[in-house]
């Protein structure tokens, strides 16, 4: 098991793709968005999580997005992480190879996602990806909708055999989950959902978040994350209001109307209104109307004034 400080931590803002009416990516807007995130002085920027619609890009688009992120971040001294995630293992390994040439702080991968992997297959896969990453640490992204969702114990077994994987991005759970995470994953950098980050820090488990709160407001999420170092109780109180806002106004779009997580993240971004990204997703995914964002902006400003900055 690894030990020591978390070298990657804090509030990581997600790239969201500006999608035009003809389904193309508007790269000049993407550049502007990256500059705004750099200006917000977030702890880091990552590409190609679910929110970046990694599952819906050509290889040429993948290369262009990552190069744009890497060039702008390197120039500004902003840490960045590239998501090489792809359900197909061969495509993903090729993305890892190309991502490694850009010098990111880490590379995110998922487990191949059609037929669920056994532990042995997962270990083989992650070790091959680490070899290809050429010394750049890997972060395993194991979301609640993965083909195989690993418990802390299962993760501990796999990570004991995969030294190149230094972090895991996953959904947290109740007090039992946190106790299991402490038992089985010491020294592993865990990234919890953004709106649970204060709890994750208070529990002594989270290193940071690839954050939906940063989708809403990169600056607000950063200020909240910084507060966790000086006044964790105040940060937990803010978290309770963030969770209430998510439960009442955001999650129902998924639970009642079937919108994807990426649709929810883009709605948050449009509510925050901080960059040139609309709520639109690429075909065939449906997106939530801008009118909803305008309506919810009023509520967010009332309920989350300390985040909506
Ligand atoms: C609620 C929340 O934080 N959602 C975030 C999720 C989860 O962190 C991850 O799925 C583990 O549950 O990751 C993203 O989808 C992503 O990387 O693009 C961003 C999104 O904002």
């Amino acid at each position: 098991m690894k030990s020591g400080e978390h070298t990657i931590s804090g509030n990581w803002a997600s790239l969201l793709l500006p999608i035009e009416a003809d389904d193309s990516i508007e790269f000049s807007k993407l550049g502007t968005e990256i500059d705004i995130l750099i200006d917000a002085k977030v702890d880091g920027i990552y590409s190609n999580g679910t929110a970046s619609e990694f599952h819906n890009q050509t290889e040429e688009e993948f290369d262009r997005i990552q190069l744009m992120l890497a060039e702008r971040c390197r120039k500004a001294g902003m840490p960045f992480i590239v998501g090489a995630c792809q359900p197909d293992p061969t495509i993903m390994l090729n993305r890892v190879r190309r991502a490694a040439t850009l010098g990111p702080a880490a590379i995110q991968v998922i487990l191949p996602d059609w037929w669920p992997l056994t532990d042995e297959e997962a270990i083989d896969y992650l070790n091959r990806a680490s070899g290809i990453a050429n010394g750049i640490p890997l972060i395993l992204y194991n979301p609640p909708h993965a083909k195989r969702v690993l418990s802390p114990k299962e993760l501990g077994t796999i990570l004991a055999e995969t030294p190149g994987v230094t972090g895991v991005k996953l959904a947290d759970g109740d007090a039992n989950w946190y106790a299991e995470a402490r038992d089985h994953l010491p020294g592993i950098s865990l990234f919890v959902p953004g709106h649970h980050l204060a709890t994750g820090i208070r529990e002594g488990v989270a290193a940071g978040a690839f954050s939906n709160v940063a989708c809403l407001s990169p600056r607000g999420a950063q200020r909240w994350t910084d507060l966790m170092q000086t006044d964790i109780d105040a940060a937990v109180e803010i978290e309770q209001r963030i969770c209430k806002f998510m439960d009442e106004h955001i999650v129902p779009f998924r639970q009642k109307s079937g919108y994807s997580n990426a649709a929810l993240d883009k709605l948050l971004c449009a509510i925050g209104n901080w960059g040139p990204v609309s709520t639109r997703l690429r075909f065939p995914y449906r997106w939530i109307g801008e009118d909803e964002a305008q309506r919810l902006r009023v509520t967010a400003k009332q309920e989350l004034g300390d985040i909506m900055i």
Side-chain angles (χ1 to χ4, degrees):
M1 215 37 87
K2 301 103 192 165
S3 61
E5 288 283 288
H6 300 293
T7 48
I8 297 170
S9 63
N11 169 48
W12 285 73
S14 176
L15 273 198
L16 299 148
L17 298 182
I19 300 292
E20 298 297 286
D22 64 357
D23 254 351
S24 63
I25 300 169
E26 179 45 89
F27 281 93
S28 67
K29 288 185 183 166
L30 188 69
T32 305
E33 180 195 346
I34 295 169
D35 291 344
I36 293 171
L37 292 173
I38 289 172
D39 232 41
K41 298 191 169 49
V42 291
D43 287 319
I45 306 175
Y46 76 104
S47 65
N48 279 31
T50 312
S52 306
E53 300 170 71
F54 73 72
H55 47 289
N56 212 353
Q57 292 166 13
T58 67
E59 297 312 287
E60 291 72 25
E61 288 167 336
F62 170 85
D63 287 337
R64 201 166 159 197
I65 294 164
Q66 316 320 314
L67 184 62
M68 189 174 245
L69 176 69
E71 283 180 346
R72 288 182 189 233
C73 286
R74 277 201 305 248
K75 205 164 143 215
M78 170 61 70
F80 68 98
I81 290 178
V82 170
C85 312
Q86 246 296 321
D88 176 296
T90 309
I91 297 175
M92 182 157 45
L93 291 178
N94 279 324
R95 287 189 178 191
V96 171
R97 179 174 295 110
R98 283 159 22 238
T101 64
L102 300 171
I107 298 175
Q108 275 185 25
V109 294
I110 56 174
L111 294 178
D113 203 59
W114 179 241
W115 196 266
L117 268 58
T118 64
D119 285 3
E120 292 73 22
E121 288 163 342
I123 290 167
D124 286 350
Y125 187 78
L126 292 170
N127 283 332
R128 175 147 329 164
S130 288
I132 290 173
N134 208 11
I136 294 172
L138 297 184
I139 295 178
L140 173 63
Y141 180 20
N142 187 232
H145 54 84
K147 268 286 148 44
R148 186 154 174 230
V149 179
L150 300 161
S151 66
K153 187 164 184 238
E154 291 170 321
L155 270 172
T157 305
I158 290 170
L159 297 187
E161 306 295 328
T162 55
V165 182
T166 62
V168 186
K169 168 181 167 189
L170 72 191
D172 59 349
D174 58 11
N176 282 337
W177 184 91
Y178 274 103
E180 279 183 36
R182 276 190 296 270
D183 275 359
H184 297 290
L185 298 167
I188 301 292
S189 299
L190 296 184
F191 298 88
V192 299
H195 60 298
H196 294 168
L197 182 56
T199 296
I201 299 275
R202 192 192 53 194
E203 294 284 335
V205 164
F210 296 98
S211 177
N212 58 340
V213 183
C215 291
L216 179 62
S217 169
R219 275 177 204 281
Q222 190 59 47
R223 191 161 85 176
W224 178 51
T225 306
D226 294 342
L227 182 66
M228 292 170 203
Q229 301 307 318
T230 55
D231 191 346
I232 189 68
D233 292 337
V236 168
E237 186 278 322
I238 293 174
E239 177 180 297
Q240 284 159 359
R241 280 187 282 121
I242 296 171
C243 286
K244 183 168 176 288
F245 179 81
M246 297 288 181
D247 286 347
E248 288 177 1
H249 304 296
I250 304 298
V251 177
F253 282 105
R254 189 181 61 220
Q255 284 178 340
K256 294 198 182 133
S257 312
Y259 287 103
S260 63
N261 281 359
L264 270 48
D265 286 333
K266 279 190 154 171
L267 173 66
L268 288 169
C269 172
I271 294 171
N273 200 23
W274 52 266
V277 186
S278 76
T279 54
R280 190 178 190 107
L281 295 184
R282 251 188 174 173
F283 181 82
Y285 294 96
R286 300 276 171 110
W287 63 93
I288 300 160
E290 298 282 337
D291 51 324
E292 300 282 12
Q294 278 170 26
R295 179 177 66 79
L296 287 170
R297 194 171 304 140
V298 179
T299 316
K301 282 186 174 155
Q302 278 164 2
E303 297 179 6
L304 300 175
D306 22 25
I307 297 290
M308 294 284 286
I309 56 172

